[in-house]
Amino acid sequence: MTELPGAVPENRDAVQRALIEWYEADHRSFPWRETDDAYEILVSEVMSQQTQLGRVVDAWREFLDRWPDAEALAAADQSDVVAFWTAHSLGYNNRAKYLHTAANQVLDDWDGSFPETPAELQELHGVGPYTANAVASFAFNAGDAVVDTNVKRVLHRAFDVPDDDAAFEEVAGALMPDGRSRVWNNAIMELGGVACEKTPACDAAGCPWREWCEAYDTGDFTAPDVPTQPDFEGSRRQMRGRVVNVLGEYDRLALDELGPRVRVDYSPDGEYGREWLRGLVEDLADDGLVSVEDGEESLVVGLSE
């Protein structure tokens, strides 16, 4: 078995089975997940590019009521399609024009039948690699592994895949079961959408990959689209909290009395000395958390009342 970037488990069958079973047991219900009609799926993919999925549902249904297939859309006046797009706040109006042009291409160049492979689907006007692959996957079960922002986040966290497009493509492709792009791509995107969002919900969503997940094991949930949080230990945030906690035990303290209680390495003239502590307490004073007064020899700090 080919060695993959990151820490992908050797038992890929178990990884695949766990995700598919999790998805099939329960997932968000969207009407385009209940169809394998390429036209209907293309419309949903184009609409979803700029709009939250919950809002797309009604617009998608109304669009199909009005133009139920490629032939109906091709026969429509493009201005009517654009007007519909605008009325439903579906993002850039060019996408409505692209859909209309693509419908005409299906009739003129493909005899009314949608192309089925990602490469062929990209020949349709305005259809890029991601949309082409989604239609090939969900309409014809003939797509490649989807690699979008959510999928990258999942793979980076779960299997420590490096933040590199080629690595993501390699791992995503190796994990997808042969001939199952429809269920697999839906499942891994669902995982990124409900369990492995920027703020993870591993246990609440019953993430099926917890037993293999590097992030779940280490507690480090950073990802390509989730900036690394600064270490809390020794951070300014931690020191601010210590100042407030110390002052909760004392009425008022001069800087040199407060300093050693905040940092054991406090030295009046050192790196973490009076100048450093003065900046810290003045920030807290600006936030209204402490009061700062001039004492006989130094500043005196207390909690704000």
Side-chain angles (χ1 to χ4, degrees):
M1 184 175 290
T2 304
E3 185 174 347
L4 297 172
V8 179
E10 291 185 9
N11 190 353
R12 296 178 202 171
D13 289 343
V15 171
Q16 294 166 344
R17 185 167 56 253
L19 179 59
I20 291 172
E21 288 178 354
W22 172 82
Y23 174 77
E24 291 182 334
D26 185 33
H27 58 261
R28 292 173 297 177
S29 177
F30 296 113
W32 46 85
R33 284 182 170 173
E34 311 305 322
T35 181
D36 59 5
D37 184 287
Y39 169 75
E40 296 178 359
I41 291 169
L42 176 62
V43 172
S44 75
E45 288 294 329
V46 175
M47 284 187 173
S48 300
Q49 290 173 15
Q50 285 288 313
T51 312
Q52 293 179 343
L53 294 182
R55 288 180 48 220
V56 170
V57 173
D58 288 341
W60 182 80
R61 285 179 171 143
E62 290 180 35
F63 191 96
L64 294 181
D65 283 344
R66 188 164 180 180
W67 302 294
D69 52 34
E71 185 176 3
L73 183 59
D77 190 311
Q78 188 178 89
S79 63
D80 290 338
V81 183
V82 171
F84 178 97
W85 212 260
T86 302
H88 289 77
S89 302
L90 291 169
Y92 298 114
N93 289 340
N94 277 346
R95 293 197 173 100
K97 296 177 182 178
Y98 295 159
L99 264 180
H100 184 261
T101 302
N104 278 279
Q105 285 180 273
V106 169
L107 294 185
D108 296 340
D109 302 339
W110 297 89
D111 296 325
S113 297
F114 264 79
E116 299 185 7
T117 68
E120 291 171 336
L121 282 158
Q122 283 189 68
E123 295 180 23
L124 298 179
H125 194 61
V127 175
Y130 178 84
T131 300
N133 189 51
V135 176
S137 295
F138 306 138
F140 304 110
N141 203 26
D144 302 316
V146 164
V147 183
D148 65 0
T149 300
N150 283 346
V151 172
K152 289 179 180 180
R153 183 170 62 248
V154 168
L155 296 179
H156 182 82
R157 283 175 172 169
F159 307 130
D160 199 26
V161 177
D163 185 9
D164 174 78
D165 286 347
F168 285 127
E169 293 279 354
E170 183 180 359
V171 173
L175 283 177
M176 187 179 76
D178 291 340
R180 303 203 69 184
S181 63
R182 177 182 291 126
V183 67
W184 180 261
N185 285 333
N186 267 321
I188 198 167
M189 289 192 295
E190 183 78 354
L191 188 66
V194 304
C196 201
E197 296 178 282
K198 289 187 177 182
T199 300
C202 317
D203 295 326
C207 175
W209 283 355
R210 283 171 290 179
E211 67 178 279
W212 301 287
C213 181
E214 292 283 318
Y216 191 75
D217 182 51
T218 64
D220 180 5
F221 288 94
T222 55
D225 63 331
V226 183
T228 303
Q229 294 295 320
D231 291 338
F232 182 68
E233 188 63 35
S235 68
R236 193 170 183 82
R237 182 162 55 100
Q238 184 188 40
M239 296 300 109
R240 282 168 54 99
R242 284 186 182 174
V243 168
V244 173
N245 289 338
V246 169
L247 293 176
E249 300 178 29
Y250 299 86
D251 182 18
R252 297 160 71 243
L253 290 172
L255 284 184
D256 286 349
E257 296 173 315
L258 174 62
R261 293 173 170 85
V262 174
R263 288 192 70 111
V264 295
D265 57 350
Y266 177 83
S267 174
D269 298 319
E271 180 182 1
Y272 297 107
R274 293 184 188 123
E275 185 177 349
W276 168 81
L277 187 55
R278 178 190 291 267
L280 201 64
V281 298
E282 287 178 349
D283 282 351
L284 288 166
D286 289 342
D287 292 339
L289 298 174
V290 305
S291 61
V292 180
E293 303 172 7
D294 288 322
E296 292 184 5
E297 296 183 0
S298 73
L299 295 180
V300 176
V301 188
L303 285 181
S304 295
E305 298 180 359

